[in-house]
Structures are given as C-alpha cells and as structure tokens.
Amino acid sequence: DKSGDYARGALQGRCNALTTAVTDAAFLRPAGAPLGPGERSLKHHCLFIAEGEWSPTCTRLGVAKTVDRFATAIGMVINMELDPSHPRTLRSHVANMGLGLNTLKSLGIDCENLEYLKGETHYIAVTVRKKSLLDLGVLKEDKGGRELLKADNVDLDKLVAAARKVAAVIGIPETARFCDFHPVKLFDFSSRARCLTPFRVLGVAGDLRAGASTAAMDAEAHPLLRAAQDGWHAREVAQLEEVRTAKAKARAEADEKLRA
C-alpha cells in the first residue's frame, strides 16, 4: 500500500492521487559545474528514464504524476541459472489456477497467479498474498507504505527458501543456482503511476560564469508546447468534471429511490 506517499487533489476519488515534485537544482546542473565527492557528470541532450513508479530521478527532475491505487499487490521475482542439462520438458507458461497454485498454497505460499519464462535464465514472477509472506516470516512485520518491503523488514533467508519452493513446484531442479544479479526480489505494484506530461524541457538560466541555475521550460520554451499543454489540461478537467457530475447524478437518483 503506497497510499501514504500520495495526496488526493481536486476532482480525484479515493483510488486516485497526484504526486508532485520540484526540480532539484543540485541534481541537474549546467555543464562545467563543480562536482562533489563521489559524484560524476553525465552530459546529455536527451535523457530517457526507466526507473519505475518510485523513480528518484523523476522526483529530482520535478516530474508530476497521476497515481491509480488498487488493493495491496506484492510480486515476487525469481531468477535462476539455466543449465542445459535441466529437463527439456519445462515450457514457458502462465497460471492463475490449477494444480501448481494449489500445491504452493498447501506449502504456505498463497499466489493469485504465476508466470514462468524459460529463456537465458529461469524467470519466475508470482503475485503472492501479503498474509502468506507474514505467516512464512518473509516479512517480519505488517508495516504500511514503503516500510513494508524495506530491506530491514525482509528476512532474506526465508525469502530464498520460499523462492526455492516455488521453483520446485514448477519443476526446476534443486541443483539450479540463483542468479548473482537479482536472484529473488519483492516489489509492490498496488498502484500505477503515469506522468502528467510525457516529457520535460529543462535549460540553463543565467550566465554560466556567474553561477547559472537550471530552469523548467516545458510550456514556456515554445508557443506550440504551451498551447498543447493548455489544451490537454482543459480536456482533462472537462472529462473529470463529466465523471464527477455523472456520479453525483447517480448518487442523487439512488438516494431518491431509497426515500421513495
């Protein structure tokens, strides 16, 4: 549950939120700016970010996002080395019911679904219920928000043991080794974030020699960008207002029927 990290705004319901950020001038600096201890400079004209919903880079670059919230959903990802001598009968598959999930449930691992991909490695992704992870001791305490899956709340030995059980049910031999890179990971996908705009335009304000600073120019940089942004915002507000009006009307009609 990531709800503690987001706030609702106007025309937003219980399952929607908005996260905002301010450009961090200490993170995005002009070329030639002095570096601190352990820092290195990455010169670029265009930067593509693929860090996921909690991207620290997006936050420091001032990227605003809308967030859709769902019920608590925890994923377990397992990567194991693929040995050519392993059984060739294993095939990639997806399961959301059946013997495999029932067997896992009998072992204390209650999963909603499971995906196995056989490629360069054995890749397994399962949606596992939080209660199972707590009962198995994988999660030490039932905490809220980001605290739930923090390293200090996860027993790695028990997590690896649970992953080994999942692999065994699929048919992966006990001799298979976990990959050195991301062997077993837990992640929270109980919400989905989308950027309000698909890009940001950032520039340097002032004289570099006199201590220039960074500035956001998303809408200001070009009249066409400004017009497109204003148009999108007007359409978005109108659509949200239509949804709000329809829900209010439906609620009023339901109340009227109850009073009748």
Side-chain angles (χ1 to χ4, degrees), residues 81-93 116-119 121-122 167-176:
E81 295 180 357
L82 178 63
D83 189 319
S85 64
H86 289 173
R88 296 181 178 274
T89 55
L90 286 176
R91 295 288 184 271
S92 299
H93 64 274
Y116 168 69
L117 297 176
K118 185 179 181 181
T121 66
H122 295 291
V169 169
I170 290 175
I172 298 174
E174 293 186 3
T175 54

Side-chain angles (χ1 to χ4, degrees), residues 15-26:
C15 295
N16 306 104
L18 178 70
T19 176
T20 58
V22 178
T23 304
D24 183 355

Side-chain angles (χ1 to χ4, degrees), residues 6-257:
Y6 304 123
R8 291 195 299 274
L11 301 180
Q12 291 179 310
R14 293 180 60 189
C15 295
N16 306 104
L18 178 70
T19 176
T20 58
V22 178
T23 304
D24 183 355
F27 179 67
L28 183 67
R29 290 174 287 185
L35 298 175
E39 294 181 339
R40 65 186 181 93
S41 176
L42 176 64
K43 297 181 181 180
H44 61 278
H45 294 291
C46 185
L47 177 66
F48 290 90
I49 305 171
E51 294 179 331
E53 181 181 333
W54 284 354
S55 166
T57 302
C58 280
T59 300
R60 300 186 76 176
L61 292 180
V63 176
K65 300 177 182 179
T66 59
V67 182
D68 299 320
R69 297 209 314 261
F70 313 104
T72 300
I74 299 174
M76 178 192 296
V77 172
I78 306 165
N79 283 289
M80 306 184 78
E81 295 180 357
L82 178 63
D83 189 319
S85 64
H86 289 173
R88 296 181 178 274
T89 55
L90 286 176
R91 295 288 184 271
S92 299
H93 64 274
V94 177
N96 50 29
M97 62 178 64
L99 181 61
L101 295 188
N102 290 335
T103 302
L104 284 174
K105 188 172 183 179
S106 69
L107 296 173
I109 305 175
D110 191 3
C111 303
E112 295 181 33
N113 51 58
L114 178 151
E115 180 177 7
Y116 168 69
L117 297 176
K118 185 179 181 181
E120 295 181 355
T121 66
H122 295 291
Y123 174 86
I124 308 166
V126 294
T127 303
V128 58
R129 298 187 186 279
K130 180 176 68 172
K131 184 178 184 304
S132 292
L133 296 175
L134 288 168
D135 292 344
L136 291 170
V138 174
L139 295 178
K140 299 175 184 178
E141 297 181 48
D142 187 0
K143 297 183 177 182
R146 299 189 184 191
E147 300 299 319
L148 180 65
L149 299 185
K150 275 193 171 181
D152 60 2
N153 196 43
V154 177
D155 188 312
L156 292 180
D157 291 336
K158 293 180 180 179
L159 175 60
V160 170
R164 180 63 74 178
K165 290 180 181 180
V166 174
V169 169
I170 290 175
I172 298 174
E174 293 186 3
T175 54
R177 297 177 52 190
F178 287 98
C179 294
D180 294 331
F181 185 72
H182 293 324
V184 190
K185 295 288 184 179
L186 293 176
F187 66 96
D188 182 344
F189 62 103
S190 53
S191 61
R192 177 183 60 197
R194 292 169 290 180
C195 296
L196 283 175
T197 55
F199 61 88
R200 295 215 70 192
V201 180
L202 302 171
V204 177
D207 187 346
L208 181 61
R209 293 168 296 180
S213 61
T214 56
M217 304 186 298
D218 298 21
E220 297 88 346
H222 197 286
L224 293 179
L225 287 178
R226 183 168 59 250
Q229 179 86 348
D230 290 345
W232 173 87
H233 186 266
R235 292 192 300 272
E236 186 75 5
V237 170
Q239 290 175 2
L240 290 172
E241 180 61 29
E242 288 179 4
V243 173
R244 188 195 67 81
T245 301
K247 289 183 176 180
K249 181 180 178 181
R251 188 180 300 112
E253 291 176 351
D255 291 342
E256 184 65 27
K257 289 181 180 180

